[in-house]
Amino acid sequence: MGLGVGSGYVVKSILALVVIIFIANYSLKYLNTFMTKKGKAIRIIERTAINKSSSICIVEIAGTYYVMSFTETRNEILRELTGSEKEAVIQSQELEESNQESPDLFKGKPTQVFKELQTWYQNFYEKRK
């Protein structure tokens, strides 16, 4: 006994829909590579929100640092940073990047990591009892 006439169409329709969604997904991902350009001439170094619709940013444009305000209606350069201010921004950025490195737990050998996780889990389990 085979599938009924109606159920066969349902199965085929579902399979066709899955194939169409799969093809559409990969097509959009492929086309997105052409649409987005990652420029290195402009970078937002730091952003601070002032309210819901405005913020102040430190922006690097072609090696020059600016303080800019961004709102819904206008984007405006407030001033250019001096050499000493630029150095302070670069140093704080490097300090931030060094603080974001992986924790010491993952710098060791895998067996050490496993042992540390095992002792942590045992301590956690004993506290729950």
Side-chain angles (χ1 to χ4, degrees):
M1 292 177 76
L3 294 174
V5 175
S7 60
Y9 286 125
V10 171
V11 170
K12 288 179 185 178
S13 298
I14 290 174
L15 288 176
L17 184 61
V18 168
V19 169
I20 289 170
I21 290 173
F22 183 76
I23 291 171
N25 186 24
Y26 280 101
S27 302
L28 289 173
K29 284 183 182 180
Y30 178 72
L31 291 174
N32 192 29
T33 59
F34 295 112
M35 299 301 288
T36 57
K37 296 190 180 204
K38 298 186 181 194
K40 296 187 180 189
I42 300 174
R43 289 189 318 153
I44 295 178
I45 304 298
E46 188 172 339
R47 178 183 296 248
T48 301
I50 302 300
N51 61 28
K52 183 171 103 175
S53 62
S54 65
S55 62
I56 293 179
C57 299
I58 297 175
V59 179
E60 178 188 8
I61 302 173
T64 307
Y65 287 76
Y66 298 99
V67 177
M68 294 183 69
S69 68
F70 292 95
T71 63
E72 290 179 354
T73 57
R74 290 176 61 176
N75 300 331
E76 172 175 6
I77 295 176
L78 301 176
R79 70 184 192 96
E80 183 178 341
L81 296 180
T82 63
S84 60
E85 292 170 333
K86 178 181 174 181
E87 293 300 322
V89 168
I90 291 171
Q91 287 176 355
S92 68
Q93 186 180 8
E94 289 172 353
L95 182 64
E96 242 180 65
E97 289 173 358
S98 66
N99 288 339
Q100 291 179 352
E101 290 181 0
S102 62
D104 292 337
L105 177 69
F106 298 109
K107 290 183 180 178
K109 295 179 181 177
T111 55
Q112 292 173 342
V113 172
F114 178 73
K115 287 179 183 177
E116 289 178 18
L117 287 173
Q118 187 177 17
T119 56
W120 176 83
Y121 178 74
Q122 287 173 348
N123 292 337
F124 176 75
Y125 184 74
E126 289 172 3
K127 288 179 184 177
R128 289 187 69 197
K129 284 184 177 180

